[in-house]
Amino acid sequence: MELEAIPGVGAKTAESLRSLDDPEDALRRGDVAAVARAPGVTDGRAARIVRGAIRARHDDPGGFLATDRATEVYERVLALLQERAVTDYASQRLRTFYPSAAESRIAEVNEFAAAAMDRDPDPEVLDALAGVEPLSPPEGLAVRDRCLATTDAETYSEAREAFPELSVEVVEDARGLADLARGYSTVVALDEAFAGVEVDGDVRVEPDALERPEEVVPERVLSFFATNRDRIRAAVAVHEAAGLDADVDLGELDAALEQLDADGAVAGDDELDRLSTAVDDLDAAVSTAESVANDRLREAIQERDVTIEGADLLSLVERGAGVDSLLSRELADEYAAAVDAARDHLVDALALRDGEASIAEQAFDDSPTFPVDHDPEAVSRLREELTAARDRRSAERKRELAATLADLREPTRELVERALELDVELAVARFADDFDCVLAERGGRGFDVESGRSPILDVAFEDVEPVDYGVDGVALLSGVNSGGKTSTLDLVAVVVVLAHMGLPVPAESARVPEVEELHYYAKSQGTLDAGAFEATLRDFAGLTEGAARKLVLVDELESITEPGASAKIVAGILEELHEAGASGVFVSHLAGEIRDQCGFDVTVDGIRARGLEDGELVVERSPVKDHLARSTPELIVEKLATEGDEAGGGDGAAAGSFYDRLLGKF
C-alpha cells in the first residue's frame, strides 16, 4: 500500500509511519495502537489514518455522514460501543468502524459482526482481558559487557545499524583486539582474518554474527519478553478462558516465561543463582571467615597457659620474633584448626565447587599470624573466577532461552493480537446483547424498522418503548409535543448508521436503503435570520442532485422562518425530493398545511395520542400510517370540552360550549 495514497496522509505523516516495523501490516489489521506509536501520531490521528487506509482499500469516497446531526448520532453510537470494550486497544480499534456506502466494506464488517454476535462475553474472559495490552518494544536496551570489533569501515556501519545495543569498535590488528578483551567480558570479531589469533580473554571470531542477532545479543529477545511478560500471560489467560486456539504451545510459552526475570535476566537456574550469590556475598563471606578463625584462635589462647623459659624468650627477642613465632611454637595445631575452619566456612557459605574451593583455600595463609587476615590477591583471583563462571553460565543460558523464545516470538505476537481482537468482538457482542440487536438488510427504497428501540435516549434502555415504522419514499411525520417524533428520527438515524457500519441494529428486524449519504437536520433553535435562512435553503437545493442515493431526515424545518411561509417551503422541498426519487422523513407540526401545499399525494404519518391522563400525554409510540396526528392544543381543548359537558348547567355549561366551539376549529 502506498502510504501517500491514503486519504489524509501527506509526505510528513508517511515518513513518520515508515519508522514503524511494518506500517502496511498495521494498517491492514487496523491496529490503531501500532500506528499511534509513529512519531507525532496521536490516538485520534491514528484512528483517522486507519479509517483512511480502509477507505482506500475499498475505494470508498467517504462523506456518508453529511450533516452535523448525522455525525453526532454516529459519535454517540460509537461511544456506546467503546464503553463495552475492556482494553484501550479495542476502544481505539472500534473507532475504525464507520458508516460507508462501499458494499465490500459493509460486507466485511457484516461478516465480522455475525461472528462476534456468536461470542459469549464470559466474565472470566473479560477479567483476563483487563491485563492485555499491545506488545511494546523494550526501551533503552544497552549491553555493556560485550562489543563487536572489525577492521572494515563498511562492516562497522552495518554492525552499528544491526546492533544498536552494543558498542562497535574499529581495530587495526590483534593488539587492538587484545586491548578490547581487557575491557569487555566478550569480544566478537567480525573479520575472518582474526581466525586463529590467540588473545587472552573471551574473544570469538564470528564473521556471520550479523546474520544471527539472537545469538549475539540474546538480551534483545529476552528484554522483549520481559517487558511484555504480564501482557503475554494475560493473553494466555484469555485464550484459556475463552477456549481459543493458539499457534503456540501455551505450556511451553509459560515455562519459558518462568525462566525470565522482570529485568530480562535468566531466572530459575540453580547454577547461575549459586554463582551470582557467591559473587555478591564474597566480601561478606571472607569477613565472616576471618571472624571464625580469630574467634577460635582467641578462644584457644585464652584456654591455655603458655610457659617460655628465659633463654628461649631471650633468643626469640634477639631474633626480632613476635607473637607469630610464639603462635608457631606453642599453638601451631590450634592455628591450623582455626584457618581450616575459616576455609570451610568460606567454601560452605559460597557453596563453592572443587576448582573454586582450591582458590578459596589460598585466601588464608598457613603461616601463623594474629589476628588472622585474608590474602587480598587470592580473594581477587576467586572473585575473577566466580565472575567469569557466572558470566559464562549467564551467557550460555541467555543464548539457550533466547533461542527458545525467538521461535515463539511471532506466534506470541499473534496470541496477544488475537486476544485484543477478541475484545473488539466482545464489545460488539455486548452491544448487540445489551440493545437486542440484529443485522439489518439493505436494499429497496425507504426503510422499515420493526420493534426498534433507540439506545441514545436519556432513559434506561429497558424502559424504551419499541417502535415500528417504515417509509417508502418521502413522508411527513406528525404528532403531539413530546410524543416521540424526534426520538423516532433518532432511531431511524441510529439504524441507518449502524447498518452502513456493517454492525447490528437495535430492532427485531430492519431494512435500510442502500444510500451514500445520510442528511439529518436537527430542530433549529428559533427563527433564523435572513442570511442563515438563505444558507439553509441552499443546503436543501443541493439535496436534489443524486437524491436517490440519499436519506433525508428533518426535524421541524418550519422553525427556520414564519409559519405562513414554512408550509410552502417544506412542500416545495418535498416535491423536489419526491421527483428525484429520494427517501426521507420530515417531522412537522404543520403536516396538514404542508400536505395541502404539496403537488403530489405526500404520505402523512402520525404518532397517535390517546389523550391526557393526570396531565400527561398517553401516546402510541409507533407512527400510524396515513394518519394526521392531533396536536397537543387540540387534545387539551378536547379534554376541557369533555369536562365542561360533564359539568352540566351553569358556568360549566357555558365553559363547555366555549370549548366545543374551539374544538370545532381543529
Side-chain angles (χ1 to χ4, degrees):
M1 177 186 296
E2 184 63 35
L3 296 179
E4 283 86 347
I6 298 173
V9 174
K12 185 176 180 179
T13 302
E15 186 63 28
S16 180
L17 292 174
R18 290 190 183 97
S19 67
L20 301 174
D21 288 340
D22 191 346
E24 288 82 4
D25 180 64
L27 291 169
R28 178 187 57 78
R29 291 184 289 104
D31 191 342
V32 175
V35 175
R37 286 197 291 269
V41 177
T42 63
D43 288 344
R45 173 76 171 139
R48 290 193 295 273
I49 291 171
V50 171
R51 283 199 300 269
I54 294 170
R55 286 175 50 197
R57 190 169 70 246
H58 292 281
D59 195 24
D60 179 2
F64 184 89
L65 301 171
T67 62
D68 290 343
R69 180 56 182 165
T71 300
E72 183 182 342
V73 168
Y74 163 67
E75 292 290 350
R76 294 186 66 179
V77 166
L78 179 63
L80 292 174
L81 282 162
Q82 290 178 304
E83 287 172 8
R84 284 152 181 80
V86 176
T87 63
D88 289 339
Y89 168 88
S91 181
Q92 294 301 325
R93 174 83 164 81
L94 286 165
R95 291 181 64 84
T96 67
F97 292 87
Y98 66 96
S100 168
E103 188 64 39
S104 59
R105 172 58 179 171
I106 297 173
E108 180 180 76
V109 180
N110 268 164
E111 183 179 356
F112 167 86
M117 292 167 70
D118 289 336
R119 293 284 184 194
D120 176 21
D122 189 318
E124 184 180 356
V125 176
L126 300 178
D127 287 343
L129 278 168
V132 184
E133 296 179 42
L135 299 178
S136 296
E139 295 181 358
L141 176 61
V143 181
R144 307 296 185 188
D145 66 347
R146 200 172 317 135
C147 79
L148 304 178
T150 179
T151 61
D152 181 65
E154 185 177 344
T155 303
Y156 170 83
S157 298
E158 293 177 2
R160 283 286 301 271
E161 184 175 353
F163 295 102
E165 309 93 340
L166 298 181
S167 292
V168 183
E169 307 289 346
V170 175
V171 297
E172 295 183 359
D173 50 28
R175 179 178 297 178
L177 208 59
D179 289 341
L180 288 177
R182 284 191 288 272
Y184 291 94
S185 298
T186 301
V187 178
V188 179
L190 302 177
D191 303 339
E192 186 72 46
F194 285 120
V197 173
E198 294 186 5
V199 178
D200 290 339
D202 185 9
V203 178
R204 307 172 187 175
V205 181
E206 301 180 5
D208 61 343
L210 300 182
E211 302 170 9
R212 299 179 292 104
E214 286 80 11
E215 295 181 31
V216 178
V217 191
E219 292 88 352
R220 183 182 294 180
V221 175
L222 301 183
S223 181
F224 171 81
F225 277 91
T227 298
N228 296 290
R229 184 174 59 172
D230 292 343
R231 304 172 186 188
I232 295 169
R233 282 182 164 160
V236 169
V238 169
H239 277 68
E240 291 175 339
L244 298 178
D245 293 332
D247 293 332
V248 60
D249 186 319
L250 299 183
E252 180 186 4
L253 176 59
D254 188 64
L257 292 175
E258 281 291 332
Q259 302 176 55
L260 199 59
D261 274 344
D263 60 359
V266 176
D269 183 89
D270 293 340
E271 177 63 4
L272 181 57
D273 290 344
R274 182 188 73 83
L275 292 167
S276 298
T277 301
V279 172
D280 294 340
D281 295 350
L282 178 57
D283 289 336
V286 169
S287 178
T288 303
E290 285 181 350
S291 298
V292 168
N294 286 315
D295 289 346
R296 292 192 58 153
L297 193 55
R298 187 178 292 106
E299 183 179 348
I301 293 172
Q302 290 173 346
E303 290 178 353
R304 289 195 55 180
D305 293 327
V306 179
T307 302
I308 302 178
E309 294 185 5
D312 291 336
L313 176 60
L314 182 61
S315 175
L316 290 170
V317 171
E318 288 175 346
R319 295 201 304 269
V323 69
D324 295 351
S325 298
L326 290 174
L327 286 173
S328 178
R329 173 177 170 175
E330 299 295 332
L331 296 170
D333 291 342
E334 286 78 359
Y335 181 84
V339 169
D340 285 344
R343 291 168 175 167
D344 289 344
H345 175 82
L346 186 58
V347 171
D348 292 342
L350 301 180
L352 301 179
R353 303 287 170 80
D354 294 341
E356 302 156 356
S358 298
I359 301 175
E361 290 175 358
Q362 300 172 24
F364 296 97
D365 201 315
D366 291 326
S367 300
T369 184
F370 188 83
V372 178
D373 196 6
H374 69 274
D375 181 354
E377 291 185 3
V379 172
S380 179
R381 289 196 301 274
L382 179 58
R383 189 189 312 279
E384 290 174 0
E385 176 66 23
L386 291 172
T387 300
R390 180 200 63 187
D391 292 345
R392 285 194 301 271
R393 180 68 179 181
S394 176
E396 176 187 349
R397 290 293 294 115
K398 282 181 178 180
R399 285 193 294 270
E400 291 174 355
L401 184 55
T404 298
L405 289 173
D407 292 336
L408 298 177
R409 183 165 183 165
E410 191 54 37
T412 297
R413 187 184 298 279
E414 294 173 0
L415 180 87
V416 174
E417 289 173 357
R418 185 69 193 89
L420 291 169
E421 283 299 313
L422 177 64
D423 190 23
V424 182
E425 294 177 31
L426 290 179
V428 173
R430 296 168 73 187
F431 179 88
D433 287 347
D434 291 346
F435 301 119
D436 298 331
C437 295
V438 296
L439 288 174
E441 298 179 9
R442 293 175 59 253
R445 190 177 183 216
F447 59 84
D448 189 14
V449 178
E450 293 186 12
S451 295
R453 290 190 289 167
S454 174
I456 63 173
L457 296 178
D458 294 329
V459 296
F461 184 72
E462 57 268 22
D463 296 332
V464 178
E465 295 181 35
V467 170
D468 298 331
Y469 190 40
V471 166
D472 180 10
V474 291
L476 286 164
L477 179 60
S478 61
V480 296
N481 289 330
S482 302
K485 300 185 299 298
T486 298
S487 298
T488 300
L489 279 194
D490 282 347
L491 171 64
V492 173
V494 165
V495 169
V496 170
V497 166
L498 283 168
H500 282 81
M501 292 172 74
L503 295 175
V505 304
E508 285 188 5
S509 67
R511 178 192 59 78
V512 300
E514 295 179 352
V515 293
E516 295 176 353
E517 297 174 9
L518 171 62
H519 294 259
Y520 184 2
Y521 294 89
K523 186 186 304 183
S524 174
Q525 300 300 315
T527 303
L528 301 180
D529 59 31
F533 176 67
E534 179 181 342
T536 301
L537 289 184
R538 289 182 183 276
D539 283 345
F540 281 97
L543 290 179
T544 57
E545 183 177 350
R549 300 288 291 171
K550 299 173 183 178
L551 177 65
V552 183
L553 305 176
V554 183
D555 194 3
E556 295 188 22
L557 183 61
E558 64 265 22
S559 63
I560 67 173
T561 188
E562 295 86 354
S566 293
K568 298 175 183 178
I569 292 170
V570 174
I573 293 172
L574 286 172
E575 289 172 359
E576 294 292 331
L577 293 176
H578 171 70
E579 292 176 7
S583 297
V585 177
F586 279 58
V587 166
S588 179
H589 287 292
L590 304 176
E593 292 86 341
I594 295 170
R595 179 180 57 187
D596 294 341
Q597 294 287 340
C598 270
F600 71 103
D601 189 14
V602 64
T603 298
V604 177
D605 303 324
I607 295 177
R608 183 162 52 195
R610 293 197 297 267
L612 293 165
E613 292 184 5
D614 299 324
E616 297 291 333
L617 281 170
V618 179
V619 300
E620 298 176 5
R621 296 296 179 181
S622 295
V624 178
K625 300 302 295 180
D626 299 315
H627 170 73
L628 178 60
R630 291 185 295 171
S631 66
T632 303
E634 181 181 358
L635 290 172
I636 294 173
V637 171
E638 181 185 58
K639 176 177 180 294
L640 292 172
T642 302
E643 291 174 350
D645 292 341
E646 292 174 352
D651 293 341
S657 176
F658 170 72
Y659 296 138
D660 286 337
R661 290 194 298 273
L662 285 181
L663 187 61
K665 299 292 185 181
F666 286 95

